[in-house]
């Protein structure tokens, strides 16, 4: 949970993989932002309240546009099937799915990267880590974003060599 520096918004998130933005003046939800693929651990607003960053168990830091209307993406962008370019399409629920074009077929195959599937329009950028769940995100007074977590070595790998 995080409150904006101007006191207007509250952002909440958790195991439902969604970030809810609330107007503290009215108590009503302004919008729901989706894009994470695992539990969201931390939220932070930029100093001017226009950007919200989130970190979670999906090993990503994500940046969200607070001021945009948000909502579900419905517009296609990029190429598509048969063009050899990636395309963004919306499923029946209005969630964005990235697909890989090519081959001249009529059906596009789903891209392997799950972290960008089902993202709402207000997701500005995703920054993946090597294998680090992000436990804390924070903006400094100079508006620099800090993210902290711990490295999870693959199963069977020792994090440090024993001597």
């Amino acid at each position: 949970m995080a409150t904006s520096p101007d006191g207007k918004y509250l952002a909440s998130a958790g195991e439902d993989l969604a970030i809810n933005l609330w107007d503290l003046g009215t108590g009503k939800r302004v919008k729901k932002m989706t894009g994470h693929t695992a539990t969201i651990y931390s939220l932070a607003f930029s100093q001017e309240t226009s950007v919200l960053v989130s970190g979670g168990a999906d090993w990503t830091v994500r940046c969200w546009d607070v001021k945009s209307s948000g909502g579900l993406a419905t517009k296609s962008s990029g190429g598509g099937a048969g063009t050899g370019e990636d395309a963004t399409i919306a499923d029946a629920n209005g969630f964005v799915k990235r697909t890989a074009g090519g081959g001249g077929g009529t059906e596009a195959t789903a891209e392997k990267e799950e972290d960008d599937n089902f993202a709402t329009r207000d997701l500005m950028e995703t920054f993946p880590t090597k294998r680090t769940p992000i436990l804390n995100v924070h903006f400094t007074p100079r508006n620099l974003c800090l993210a902290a977590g711990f490295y999870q070595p693959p199963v069977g790998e020792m994090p440090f060599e024993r001597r």
Side-chain angles (χ1 to χ4, degrees), residues 139-161:
F139 273 99
T140 68
R142 291 192 172 199
N143 230 13
L144 299 175
C145 180
L146 305 174
F150 59 93
Y151 175 74
Q152 288 183 323
V155 176
E157 181 181 302
M158 296 298 291
F160 299 102
E161 186 179 327

Side-chain angles (χ1 to χ4, degrees), residues 57-69:
D58 61 357
W59 306 341
T60 63
V61 174
R62 296 177 189 255
C63 299
W64 306 90
D65 185 354
V66 173
K67 303 295 184 181
S68 76
S69 61

